[in-house]
Amino acid sequence: MVASTESPFKPDILKGKVALITGGASGIGFEISTQLGKHGASVAVMGRRKQVLQSAVSVLQSLSIPAVGFEGDVRKQEDAARVVDLTFKHFGRIDILVNAAAGNFLAAAEDLSPNGFRTVLDIDSVGTFTMCHEALKYLKKGAPGRNSSSGGLIINISATLHYGASWYQIHVSAAKAAVDSTTRNLALEWGTDYDIRVNGIAPGPIGETPGMSKLAPEEIGSRGRDEMPLYKLGEKWDIAMAALYLASDAGKYINGDTMVVDGGLWLSRPRYLPKEAVRQVSREVEKRSRNEPIGVPKSKL
Ligand code: COA
């Protein structure tokens, strides 16, 4: 296995590309900013907190990545429009938009106010659409800085919470369901009309992120983990590598997909029978069922 600091991709796969990453100054977003930059992209990061932005940009620049930070809140359309325009003015083109800005906290549905629900939808779902909407004019084929046949790329960071249902996450489950739907619809419309690929990444629990410290705080985390059969933490690097794959030519035929990067965690279910019991009874049951349909006693046939 490759050490997680080493990338298996060539360092120039995104040479000449410009990426704008919302929530790109911290957590998963920052690792995506870093890895896109390390593979040749110039990087604009958008976030609400000036100091966090400044320190992220200094780290990126110390890695020789052309980087700039723009303050803004994805909930405000004027911020989205301003940051997209500034990114274009600064770098002369936009090739990749990564929507990584998200809001989250644990709350039982009955304790969650409609405004709490709305706040997370505003950041995750409406914010994602707003950024896509504002960036379209730079991402579409023939846009300033692009040629007339190839469009750019959008990556929306999602989750797996809404594949089933998730305790205390009604707001984020609803928000990410909308994000996935947005990914597919934009992939259809903008893939067809403008040659823009639109994909998502659905991370599982990723270590050392604001999301993990909010959703599995030390005080309550370990009990929840013990109840999850395949539980293991992913790394921010895992998500950034998925983003690189989608952003590189390796992903050129992928459109409208949300790639699950969770080690198979969302598939896990509690084991309801020991393996040994299955070995012992399964063939016996099979033999019996050949002689009589299951559930119908011989006397009734
Ligand atoms: N439990 C229940 N409700 C909560 C809550 C919690 N832990 N935290 C916030 N809320 C509710 C507030 O009470 C408020 O609703 P109300 O007006 O009916 O009382 C609503 O959510 C908005 O909260 P507010 O603090 O005003 O919003 P904000 O815009 O300052 O912050 C958050 C947005 C709440 C999503 C904040 O957690 C955030 O900024 N998150 C970004 C970072 C992040 O979450 N990263 C992890 C990504 S996985």
Side-chain angles (χ1 to χ4, degrees):
M1 211 175 93
V2 191
S4 60
T5 46
E6 256 176 62
S7 164
F9 296 100
K10 288 183 184 162
D12 62 349
I13 52 170
L14 299 180
K15 195 170 165 205
K17 307 267 185 194
V18 173
L20 166 59
I21 299 115
T22 72
S26 63
I28 288 173
F30 181 61
E31 183 67 15
I32 294 175
S33 304
T34 307
Q35 293 296 344
L36 296 185
K38 279 186 168 182
H39 290 78
S42 300
V43 170
V45 291
M46 176 178 178
R48 286 181 299 166
R49 296 167 296 170
K50 194 174 184 174
Q51 281 188 334
V52 178
L53 272 180
Q54 278 171 346
S55 74
V57 169
S58 321
V59 174
L60 294 170
Q61 288 174 343
S62 73
L63 296 167
S64 306
I65 296 167
V68 62
F70 297 119
E71 254 180 279
D73 185 335
V74 297
R75 287 174 284 188
K76 297 180 183 152
Q77 190 176 354
E78 62 276 18
D79 284 12
R82 177 177 48 79
V83 169
V84 163
D85 284 345
L86 285 172
T87 302
F88 175 75
K89 279 194 191 117
H90 193 86
F91 290 122
R93 57 189 288 160
I94 302 178
D95 301 279
I96 302 164
L97 168 67
V98 181
N99 287 299
N104 207 351
F105 49 82
L106 289 176
E110 69 200 65
D111 299 331
L112 179 67
S113 70
N115 191 43
F117 186 91
R118 184 184 301 112
T119 298
V120 171
L121 265 87
D122 271 350
I123 301 171
D124 295 20
S125 322
V126 185
T128 292
F129 178 73
T130 304
M131 291 301 301
C132 294
H133 183 266
E134 295 304 325
L136 174 63
K137 61 177 182 284
Y138 298 118
L139 291 172
K140 58 180 161 188
K141 64 185 176 188
R146 317 196 57 81
N147 70 34
S148 58
S149 61
S150 74
L153 170 84
I154 296 172
I155 299 175
N156 296 326
I157 303 302
S158 185
T160 60
L161 303 168
H162 53 295
Y163 294 177
S166 296
W167 287 100
Y168 314 131
Q169 292 281 274
I170 189 171
H171 43 323
V172 186
S173 300
K176 295 302 193 183
V179 167
D180 288 359
S181 210
T182 300
T183 295
R184 286 190 294 269
N185 280 281
L186 292 184
L188 175 70
E189 293 194 28
W190 294 358
T192 308
D193 292 345
Y194 302 123
D195 192 56
I196 296 171
R197 286 191 297 117
V198 188
N199 290 296
I201 300 173
I206 302 297
E208 295 168 33
T209 56
M212 268 308 284
S213 44
K214 282 188 166 197
L215 304 185
E218 281 304 313
E219 305 89 282
I220 57 172
S222 63
R223 202 182 61 208
R225 287 172 200 188
D226 291 345
E227 287 164 11
M228 299 160 92
L230 294 184
Y231 191 86
K232 62 182 163 192
L233 284 184
E235 298 172 36
K236 288 174 277 192
W237 184 89
D238 295 312
I239 307 307
M241 290 300 116
L244 271 179
Y245 171 68
L246 290 172
S248 71
D249 285 346
K252 70 183 173 48
Y253 200 50
I254 302 176
N255 190 27
D257 187 44
T258 293
M259 185 190 285
V260 178
V261 184
D262 77 339
L265 183 65
W266 85 272
L267 302 168
S268 50
R269 301 281 183 277
R271 194 193 295 257
Y272 75 100
L273 270 182
K275 214 187 298 179
E276 206 40 53
V278 174
R279 285 180 184 136
Q280 280 171 14
V281 305
S282 175
R283 289 194 182 280
E284 282 310 310
V285 172
E286 184 66 17
K287 240 186 263 167
R288 225 167 40 226
S289 74
R290 289 192 183 169
N291 298 328
E292 59 184 79
I294 292 175
V296 183
K298 253 188 184 143
S299 58
K300 300 266 181 199
L301 290 174

